[in-house]
Amino acid sequence: MEGGRGDGRGPLECRATFLRTGVVGGATGSAYLEVGRSTRMVVSVWGPRQRDRDGEGSSPHEMQLDCHVHLPFARGEAEEAAGSRGTERERTLARQLEQGILPSIQQDRLKKCCVEVQCTILESNGSDFTPAILCTSFALASSNIPLYDLMTSCTLVVVEGRILLDPTAAELARSEDEVSLAYMPSRDQVTFVQACGDWSERSFKECMDNCVDGCKKMRAVMRSFLVELGEGGGRPASHSLDYFQGGGEVCDQGPGAGEDDAGEKAPMSGGDDDEPRREGGGGAARFEESRVSEKLGNLVVADQDLDAELDTLLDV
Amino acid sequence: MQEAEAFKRLYPEEYLDRFLVKDIRPDGRGLRSTREISVHASPLSSAPGSAVVRMGNTTVITSVELGLFDLGEESVAGRLEHELDVGPLGTTHNNGSIARNRQQTSAVSGRVRQILCRSIDLGSLKLSEPGEEASPGGGKAWALHVKSVCLSLDGCLFDATLASAVAALATLRFPRRLEQLGEDAAGEDGGRPEGDGALRFLWVPACTAVALHKGRLLVDPTDFEESLASAVVAVVWGRRADSPGGEEPEVLALELGSEGQRASVDAQLVRRCLGVCGGRGTSQRLAALASLLVEDIDGGEADGMMEA
Amino acid sequence: MVLVAESEVVCPGDKLGRDNEDCVSGANTHVYKGYVIASTLGKLVCEQPSKLDFGLDPGSTTTTTTTTMGEASGKRLPVVSIRAEGSKPGQGEESVGALSIGDEVLCRVKRLNPRYASCDISCKGNSPLIKEFLGIIRVQDVRATEIDKVSILSSFRPGDIVRAEVISLGESQSLLLSTAKDHLGVLHAKSEQGETMVQVSPTEMLCPVTKAREERKIAQ
Amino acid sequence: MATTGEDVWVAGVRGNVRQDGRENSEYRRITIQNGTIEHAQGSALVQIGDTKVLAAASLEIGEPREGRPKSGVVRVTVDCTLCYPVDGTNWRSYDRYGKDLASQVEDLYNGPRGSSKGVLDEENDLCLAEGQSVWCFTIDCVVLSDDGSLLDCLSLACRSCLCDVGIPKFEVLETNEVGPSGPEITIEEDPNQYWQLQCARVPVYVSLGLVETLWVYDLCKNEENHCRSRLTFGVDASGAIKQVVSGASGTCVNYSRNVANIIEAACLAGRKLLSSIDSVDQGKDQHLFHIGK
Amino acid sequence: MVDGGRGDGREDLELRSSRYELGVTGVGNGKVEGSVRLTSGRTEVAVEVKGPEASLASVVVKPTANRDRVSVNVKSVVSPVSGQSGEREQALEESIIKFVAGVLDPSCPPRTTITVVAQILSEDGSLLACLLNATALALMEAGIPLYGTPVSVAVAVAHSEPSPPRLCLDPDLAEERTSQLVGTYSYLFSSVDSSESAIEEMKANIVHVSTLGNSNAQTALHALTVAEKAARLVLRTRAC
């Protein structure tokens, strides 16, 4: 599959994303996410409430995170044994979502409380985990629950030797290697890894680096959207936001737009800039620093403009 | 603002009465005004027919799946099943009962199915083989699996579900040839089968609910008003599909539930209800749904702005 | 210097400044690796503590992250906190919902038994919680004086609205509440006939219709 | 909310000594016994410290997976209701836990979705008639007792019982019409004609507990309760990484400083573990391992 | 429906003969407090009522803030003539729950559970009306305080385009299938004494209405008033 992918994107381009918060009435926080018009999901966060008696948390004083995933319109491969397959897929996704999101919530401030996250995937084309994490992170941010950081996520596949970000379902089916990552950029902590494929030590580290850089990019843009939402005086900004501004192909450095292209740069929100990214902790520093972020170049979004039909889908 | 919220939580009845005395409602609407309904056709690209309906804070998305089944000797019409899923509302939803109460959701879904069966010409679902003449028994017919998911609930679950199911069925397009259904199921990039056959409607139904609170009628109640109401009347109005502009909408179904000890409901009150909720609110909703039938479905968008 | 300008929107994870050098962590912020970091989405509020007053007036709800005053060296550091958009200005309110020790709550008495009154906690301070929490007022926490002669029936009745204070998160399902202080106790009570009752003496309420007197632990 | 138990655990890791005297990088005694069940084609009882798993493999001819006409099929089931006290209601959550473990190990053997062949097929030819019939392995594991590192023990048990399986020779009769279940195949009865699977490329799980910048191998049960960050790597004999899964909710790995070392540590552990297992000749069944860092 | 008289020779506004026996089942664990076997024409139902019993801890109880709201938890099970209880039975259960909650008197002890178990013995039209009548009788026999005397009636409107619509009471299955509109109306009659003359002035409080089928507003209201008169008729036959 030479040149761009099916829908004209560069290998490292992510699909255009449409996002809206405050979609579910009555929920403490909610968000609607749409990736490339083929993955649509709604996440609603029901704020800190009393832990119910059978909460299985280790000690009754701990906070309990209760994640549920619903795939009401599961079609295609989940169809034939929708009974077991559907619920099993829902269960594993819910477990992964909980693992990914829990570290970003300040648990010691929500003692004896339970936070309930309901994620409904209306349609999915490509990995489910990444959009679920993004949408949940937005819903949490808009629900005033104390967080350590915004949780970002990225999925990377290798198809015929080429690294592709944000794969569609077709590319996922043909992937030789696949890495999904949940990452807190300003704390520089990975909270969830799911990888399947065949790597040597070095190539796996590079794959992880690519994924982490993807997450960092995403955080800058998530932040700019939330700032807009914040300035909107509480009314959720009603327009769509294309992800990952910037241009240029993978190898050659894109024109102009450097790494911090996402509007005004929030103070040191990128990574731990003052700590060299990978100093030789524990004497195992045998990987020479290959400036992976240069190799990754700018993440480019396919600049389709989203017409009015999409915009009014869930206007408040 | 916080004190008002606390007062509402502790003394809900008094809170609502303070508003009703001045003939307005907590969300600023008049007693007679329905909420703005926005119908959006085919949001799901992978489903033959789908629609999302927003009425205020109540959002229901519906998708229609097609199936084929062999007709028995005597039955001549297609089949329609409806399923309602309120799972996403979770257990914390303030009237937690509906999320947990399997019975209430299946009762709502049962009523929606009854009304859909009456308002669609199920006979048109029978597939007449192009070659042989349409024999009475035998042959194949379409089975419609309508699945609705309530994403956000703020009162009138039945109204929103019915409207979204009707809109989804209106956007439904049957694939032209039988074998296309085969490859449609494994739709390569999930594109909807472009077919021309649309569903034939007999009636275009739209429901408006009225809540009775201490003698006052509140049209299109929110969750808060529904929980305090002593009686709820749900009237399903319908217009004949072939003459949308035509005469007065007819009553397709009437559902009334009242707590005898708190409300005295008599024929006179029901007449007032029919009068009140038959007004512009309902005709706007009927117009919004009817427009979906007529216009072709390139993702059309019908907005029934309604402010009495 | 604080890195973010006043009333600029910040989102969780943004660094606001070095702890105890640029600023001090206030409401809705936390400290990580020597930095004050924002915990919620909202506008930044910098309060310059005018004088080193340590007295925390009981009325205002104390924020859970103790507002550490600037160092003793008199260098007054701005207290950085985040006001969630939509909430009233100046009220650096912790995110609603998480109850902690010392919070004042409004609750409705559900059930009585000789040893405690169990109630539904509906509001923290004046803002309603998303869902009711379960709370228990033990008989020894009803009053500050002669606590062994207190009888629950003479203090509360089901349906009363009570202002209480959380004294412990308790080990089982419910929180422990107390109405020992004077300003805590029954705020609003209905008599047997459902009429709102009027306070006639420090410990008694009168039903205007039936003139029946009922004892309550009334909030002064 | 550091309970005293957790402080002791963290201090121990910093001082490179654990409650049971092991160093950070020391495995518990690993014992592998093959052929424990006679009637099964292949079986193995594996013990890591007190964690005991019994695995039995059975072999049959079945349909290949669609999309992979030539590769063998591996199905894994795990039953862990024996090792947890099961009262009236929670048996369902334990068989769900078993199902999760089974699907994880199965993914380990199937490899990524796009690749045309599973892990076993890299060195062994499991195809009888392309597209119609291939060798299908069904591995049933029973968890006898669980004292931490259950996934490691499970994957080790599956691998050793796969090595234990003897696969008969076969001959495809050249009949033109093909029966409903594929072409006619006769199986060679003579047992000493059987050949064994090459398991060099079959990966095994190595899980690491992460404390600040240090890592710990082979956690026992109460260490697992204290250590919230855990990563599990599927590593094969040559040190290649086949699968990575994060162990527990609340995993927090500091990326820039730690991940490089952790990946390298996991590959090292996998290589050493598998090389010492394969080097031991089949006779002696007692294995004692000490993996130095 | 055959033009002129109805299938079984009844007049339009004539009810089917209905018989009910009280205290029939009382079998099994003997805890059953009220049981009725009601036959109306060829539709026959048996209903048992248990309670008010202490409700389980896990039951969600509505707030008891205001006094006049009944905070009783009602459970109902409807089993069909044969086979599994399907969607239709669940809809019937839901209507029974709403009906009972609407009919109980607030003095009924709060935080309790009332269980209504219904078995459909044979079905020939106006099933819901029979079920609601049988439930009401069983509640009365169990001594549960009601806010009045509930009576339910089924009405069907025949297809008759030109002339004004023909209403008929207590339709059987054949009539229900062919009629344009089918409705079930239940009323709550409450007054001080139930002497002969007083029944006329009793206040008829509509508790439950569910109709299906298209008709213009006038016909719907017309059916409502006819059903009210029929309900008074049933009450008088039951009173004497």
Side-chain angles (χ1 to χ4, degrees), chain A residues 240-257:
Chain A
S240 70
L241 179 95
D242 293 342
Y243 251 45
F244 307 134
Q245 278 84 4
E249 255 312 315
V250 169
C251 314
D252 58 358
Q253 257 303 3

Side-chain angles (χ1 to χ4, degrees), chain D residues 1-12 19 225-228:
Chain D
M1 222 272 296
T3 58
T4 51
E6 205 152 327
D7 301 343
V8 168
W9 151 256
V10 172
Q19 270 148 354
N225 295 340
H226 290 319
C227 173
R228 276 299 171 79

Side-chain angles (χ1 to χ4, degrees), chain E:
Chain E
M1 241 183 347
V2 154
D3 207 355
R6 292 157 67 176
D8 52 12
R10 283 189 284 154
E11 283 304 315
D12 280 1
L13 296 183
E14 195 189 332
L15 293 166
R16 287 186 293 200
S17 66
S18 77
R19 228 172 7 81
Y20 53 88
E21 302 150 57
L22 297 175
V24 171
T25 40
V27 75
N29 50 28
K31 253 169 68 203
V32 172
E33 268 124 34
S35 61
V36 168
R37 185 193 185 98
L38 181 76
T39 49
S40 157
R42 278 197 298 281
T43 307
E44 196 171 346
V45 284
V47 172
E48 289 164 8
V49 165
K50 279 202 284 288
E53 300 147 324
S55 54
L56 304 172
S58 64
V59 165
V60 177
V61 180
K62 289 201 280 289
T64 59
N66 35 29
R67 291 265 181 270
D68 57 8
R69 192 152 202 181
V70 174
S71 71
V72 172
N73 176 40
V74 185
K75 275 212 321 261
S76 101
V77 178
V78 174
S79 32
V81 183
S82 62
Q84 286 280 340
S85 109
E87 203 176 67
R88 191 174 71 102
E89 279 73 29
Q90 283 194 339
L92 292 175
E93 281 162 16
E94 186 63 24
S95 323
I96 289 181
I97 287 177
K98 279 223 207 82
F99 172 77
V100 171
V103 165
L104 284 180
D105 185 278
S107 68
C108 183
R111 301 180 55 75
T112 52
T113 307
I114 291 178
T115 320
V116 179
V117 177
Q119 166 70 49
I120 303 171
L121 301 173
S122 79
E123 186 180 348
D124 179 21
S126 13
L127 175 65
L128 181 56
C130 286
L131 273 174
L132 295 183
N133 277 333
T135 313
L137 292 170
L139 285 172
M140 283 188 252
E141 208 229 336
I144 295 174
L146 297 186
Y147 197 67
T149 335
V151 177
S152 309
V153 177
V155 177
V157 176
H159 275 291
S160 60
E161 275 326 305
S163 62
R166 267 179 60 233
L167 279 95
C168 58
L169 291 172
D170 241 350
D172 55 21
L173 214 52
E175 284 164 351
E176 267 183 3
R177 283 214 184 88
T178 57
S179 65
Q180 179 188 346
L181 167 88
V182 176
T184 311
Y185 305 81
S186 33
Y187 294 84
L188 192 62
F189 292 95
S190 52
S191 87
V192 178
D193 56 47
S194 67
S195 64
E196 175 70 30
S197 62
I199 287 187
E200 296 320 321
E201 305 89 24
M202 268 190 182
K203 189 167 65 56
N205 185 351
I206 305 175
V207 172
H208 177 81
V209 169
S210 73
T211 72
L212 190 61
N214 58 326
S215 74
N216 51 38
Q218 289 71 20
T219 334
L221 291 170
H222 182 42
L224 205 64
T225 45
V226 164
E228 191 180 330
K229 288 202 202 66
R232 281 191 200 279
L233 180 71
V234 168
L235 191 61
R236 187 177 308 112
T237 51
R238 221 185 263 165
C240 58

Side-chain angles (χ1 to χ4, degrees), chain A residues 33-291:
Chain A
L33 178 77
E34 198 175 285
V35 178
R37 274 215 224 154
S38 52
T39 303
R40 291 181 166 87
M41 70 174 55
V42 177
V43 169
S44 55
V45 170
W46 304 89
R49 61 174 170 82
Q50 178 100 30
R51 263 176 64 133
D52 31 31
R53 241 184 304 282
D54 56 9
E56 75 289 341
S58 55
S59 86
H61 274 273
E62 243 168 54
M63 186 206 97
Q64 173 198 351
L65 181 64
D66 205 356
C67 284
H68 300 275
V69 173
H70 301 275
L71 289 154
F73 309 118
R75 264 176 54 88
E77 84 291 345
E79 195 60 58
E80 77 288 353
S84 67
R85 183 94 169 61
T87 45
E88 201 188 311
R89 183 174 164 203
E90 283 169 354
R91 203 158 39 79
T92 43
L93 250 179
R95 190 163 42 82
Q96 288 171 352
L97 183 62
E98 185 185 339
Q99 271 180 12
I101 280 291
L102 188 60
S104 76
I105 300 177
Q106 295 193 17
Q107 299 175 37
D108 50 3
R109 287 215 178 139
L110 297 169
K111 280 199 168 53
K112 283 191 82 149
C113 295
C114 160
V115 175
E116 187 177 336
V117 173
Q118 294 283 349
C119 170
T120 314
I121 300 178
L122 304 172
E123 224 184 339
S124 95
N125 174 7
S127 114
D128 298 333
F129 175 72
T130 307
I133 287 277
L134 282 183
C135 206
T136 309
S137 190
F138 264 101
L140 281 173
S142 71
S143 70
N144 285 339
I145 287 178
L147 302 173
Y148 289 120
D149 184 11
L150 286 177
M151 184 62 67
T152 59
S153 162
C154 195
T155 305
L156 181 141
V157 275
V158 174
V159 176
E160 286 142 11
R162 291 171 61 242
I163 293 181
L164 302 177
L165 276 187
D166 188 7
T168 62
E171 283 154 358
L172 213 56
R174 293 200 310 279
S175 65
E176 288 119 26
D177 302 337
E178 179 195 335
V179 182
S180 300
L181 206 60
Y183 174 72
M184 287 205 276
S186 69
R187 282 189 157 217
D188 188 17
Q189 282 177 346
V190 171
T191 62
F192 180 83
V193 180
Q194 169 87 20
C196 196
D198 190 358
W199 292 278
S200 72
E201 274 171 48
R202 279 177 33 66
S203 62
F204 183 68
K205 177 69 172 59
E206 262 163 38
C207 255
M208 288 269 276
D209 284 347
N210 291 342
C211 240
V212 163
D213 280 318
C215 289
K216 280 189 178 154
K217 296 268 170 197
M218 196 177 294
R219 176 166 195 302
V221 178
M222 277 166 87
R223 198 192 165 291
S224 66
F225 179 81
L226 277 175
V227 164
E228 230 165 78
L229 174 67
E231 262 133 23
R235 259 197 53 71
S238 65
H239 73 286
S240 70
L241 179 95
D242 293 342
Y243 251 45
F244 307 134
Q245 278 84 4
E249 255 312 315
V250 169
C251 314
D252 58 358
Q253 257 303 3
E259 191 163 0
D260 51 10
D261 46 19
E264 99 298 320
K265 181 141 183 21
M268 290 196 282
S269 78
D272 277 358
D273 288 348
D274 51 4
E275 275 169 23
R277 218 151 65 67
R278 196 216 35 72
E279 93 303 50
R286 282 198 296 281
F287 304 107
E288 26 77 24
E289 178 50 54
S290 65
R291 284 310 294 153

Side-chain angles (χ1 to χ4, degrees), chain A residues 175-176 196-197, chain D residues 65 68 71-76 102-122 137 162 202-203 205 242-243:
Chain A
S175 65
E176 288 119 26
C196 196
Chain D
R65 219 179 277 273
R68 294 182 176 180
S71 81
V73 175
V74 178
R75 288 189 200 86
V76 179
S103 66
Q104 207 157 11
V105 176
E106 212 172 279
D107 289 349
L108 186 64
Y109 284 94
N110 291 337
R113 292 179 248 216
S115 75
S116 63
K117 49 188 174 38
V119 160
L120 277 176
D121 309 280
E122 275 157 25
F137 296 88
L162 277 178
V202 177
Y205 277 125
K242 284 291 188 335
Q243 198 188 43

